């Protein structure tokens, strides 16, 4: 099957980045199929018909098999390819349950907290929509609350180095890619009052580089200067 | 471990119902631990400390092990207990991937479509908040669109009897419990122009009764009379 796996992605999509990094870090050969969200390519009838009926990224295609949703894809890849067990705690039902719990939880929490802020504050003005400052403040407060919960409860104020315990897993990578997105909208998740979240993000980046930086280069370029980001790697495309 | 599994749930929570039906249908012994959402019991410090740090239902507790998020719980139960393979297509990585895809997809789609409408139209007035009719109409249109996609694409206009193909799986049960919730808010998902969705809902109910009706008795009692529902079973509590 090597070389037949196609990944449809855009680096401006959080789960696309997580999956790209996951596949690259595990040296799983895949064909890069970029999809330009800014051109709405994911909504074209061809894309919906031939790639992903949901009209979203990421998606994989392997011969006739098409699979959407990054979490489903990671679970499938872990079953089919030779992936080190720590990523998804294969052979450890309790550890795996903790990963599943986070990956299910994040949709309507961290992912929603970040996405709602990002769309309202950054994307709306680009499409000519006005921004109500009161609503922006509400969404910002929601994101503050979500990230404070992340710091205090999920990372247990630094007593847990990673989301599900002592070991780095796919849950960490997925969460970090979600949180990076907020930077584009001028929100700094790694403030001095969230030292554990900042350390954890640095650890996830270190664990998955050089692919983490490669996947985040556009995020960092779009981030306003007052928000600290790692140096962007030289562009080769 | 028999008898040590505790389920924390409320029948007004969609994933609580799905999990309750799943455990009951599979004759997995569990201790019923109802949590009254209407009294905000899930937000109490004791509940967050001893049961679910997210302050939500459902949750299971098994000795020292606590697990939230219905999808994570079902995966864990399928690994640990003797559950017929069709529920989660164990031993079929493609089939399982399709279930995972739906269960991941639904959070920000069908689940969000129904919940946003339900909260805005039904719950807000109960808590004294006003309802803007224009916003209610927008949320209704979103729900219409989501259910039409369900009918036309996910069920392929009746060419797929169940969500992931020919076989009933947990994805169907989860989806049906989400969609039932709309009835409370006076929205009928099973209209004449969605015949396949209507047939599919009837099939899921039949597949999982008498527990489906037991778990939905409060939903049906709260549903306005002009929305058709099955007869509510006699109350024994």
């Amino acid at each position: 099957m090597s070389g037949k796996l196609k990944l449809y992605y855009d680096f401006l999509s959080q789960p696309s980045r997580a999956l790209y990094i996951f596949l690259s870090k595990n040296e799983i050969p895949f064909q890069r199929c970029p999809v330009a969200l800014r051109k709405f390519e994911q909504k074209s009838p061809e894309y919906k018909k031939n790639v992903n009926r949901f009209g979203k990224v990421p998606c994989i295609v392997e011969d006739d098999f098409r699979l959407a949703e990054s979490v489903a894809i990671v679970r499938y890849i872990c079953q089919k390819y030779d992936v080190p067990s720590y990523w998804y705690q294969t052979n450890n039902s309790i550890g795996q349950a903790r990963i599943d719990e986070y990956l299910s939880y994040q949709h309507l929490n961290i992912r929603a907290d970040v996405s709602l802020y990002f769309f309202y504050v950054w994307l709306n003005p680009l499409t000519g929509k006005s921004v109500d400052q009161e609503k922006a403040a509400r969404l910002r407060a929601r994101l503050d609350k979500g990230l404070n919960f992340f710091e205090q409860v999920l990372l247990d104020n630094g007593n847990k180095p990673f989301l599900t315990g002592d070991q780095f897993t796919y849950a960490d990578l997925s969460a970090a890619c979600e949180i990076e997105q907020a930077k584009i909208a001028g929100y700094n998740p790694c403030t001095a009052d969230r030292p554990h979240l900042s350390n954890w993000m640095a650890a996830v980046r270190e664990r998955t580089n050089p692919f983490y930086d490669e996947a985040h280069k556009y995020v960092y370029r779009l981030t306003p200067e007052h928000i600290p980001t790692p140096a962007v790697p030289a562009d080769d495309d």
Side-chain angles (χ1 to χ4, degrees), chain A:
Chain A
M1 283 295 184
S2 279
K4 286 195 179 171
L5 181 71
K6 292 180 187 171
L7 174 68
Y8 291 81
Y9 69 99
D10 186 318
F11 279 155
L12 276 185
S13 135
Q14 303 92 304
S16 285
R17 293 195 295 271
L19 197 52
Y20 181 95
I21 297 164
F22 170 78
L23 291 173
S24 303
K25 194 72 192 172
N26 286 301
E27 298 179 3
I28 295 167
F30 65 95
Q31 185 181 330
R32 284 153 183 74
C33 303
V35 179
L37 299 185
R38 69 188 183 284
K39 297 181 188 166
F40 299 101
E41 287 178 359
Q42 79 283 12
K43 299 295 183 196
S44 76
E46 295 73 29
Y47 183 82
K48 286 188 186 177
K49 183 168 176 248
N50 300 321
V51 183
N52 182 356
R53 64 202 190 287
F54 301 145
K56 296 185 181 187
V57 288
C59 188
I60 60 167
V61 175
E62 207 179 38
D63 298 320
D64 288 343
F65 181 59
R66 298 161 199 167
L67 188 64
E69 296 293 326
S70 63
V71 173
I73 294 169
V74 165
R75 289 169 54 85
Y76 172 76
I77 295 284
C78 285
Q79 285 205 345
K80 183 155 177 185
Y81 292 83
D82 186 25
V83 174
S85 63
Y86 66 81
W87 277 101
Y88 190 51
Q89 296 283 303
T90 27
N91 309 324
N92 170 5
S93 62
I94 299 279
Q96 198 167 101
R98 286 265 90 90
I99 299 171
D100 287 338
E101 182 187 56
Y102 178 77
L103 291 174
S104 186
Y105 164 81
Q106 80 166 358
H107 285 283
L108 296 174
N109 294 279
I110 283 298
R111 177 165 170 72
D113 299 341
V114 173
S115 294
L116 288 172
Y117 187 76
F118 170 78
F119 275 103
Y120 194 73
V121 169
W122 187 79
L123 203 64
N124 267 4
L126 285 188
T127 58
K129 290 181 188 156
S130 64
V131 172
D132 172 46
Q133 289 308 321
E134 212 171 287
K135 182 168 178 184
R138 274 205 309 278
L139 292 174
R140 191 179 177 91
R142 175 185 169 152
L143 179 50
D144 286 341
K145 194 179 166 191
L147 291 176
N148 290 340
F149 184 81
F150 203 95
E151 166 93 3
Q152 293 155 17
V153 179
L154 298 184
L155 295 175
D156 193 12
N157 283 315
N159 290 314
K160 278 170 59 188
F162 292 105
L163 272 180
T164 62
D166 289 336
Q167 273 198 312
F168 166 83
T169 75
Y170 184 74
D172 296 291
L173 176 58
S174 176
C177 290
E178 293 292 342
I179 294 171
E180 289 280 3
Q181 196 82 357
K183 293 179 182 171
I184 303 177
Y187 182 100
N188 184 11
C190 301
T191 49
D193 56 347
R194 286 196 282 263
H196 308 301
L197 185 139
S198 307
N199 290 341
W200 163 83
M201 288 209 32
V204 173
R205 177 181 170 237
E206 198 185 316
R207 218 48 181 84
T208 55
N209 252 343
F211 308 105
Y212 192 91
D213 282 1
E214 184 194 350
H216 284 93
K217 61 186 175 184
Y218 298 120
V219 170
Y220 297 156
R221 279 179 201 157
L222 289 167
T223 297
E225 275 188 19
H226 69 280
I227 309 290
T229 61
V232 177
D235 211 343
D236 52 10
D237 57 12

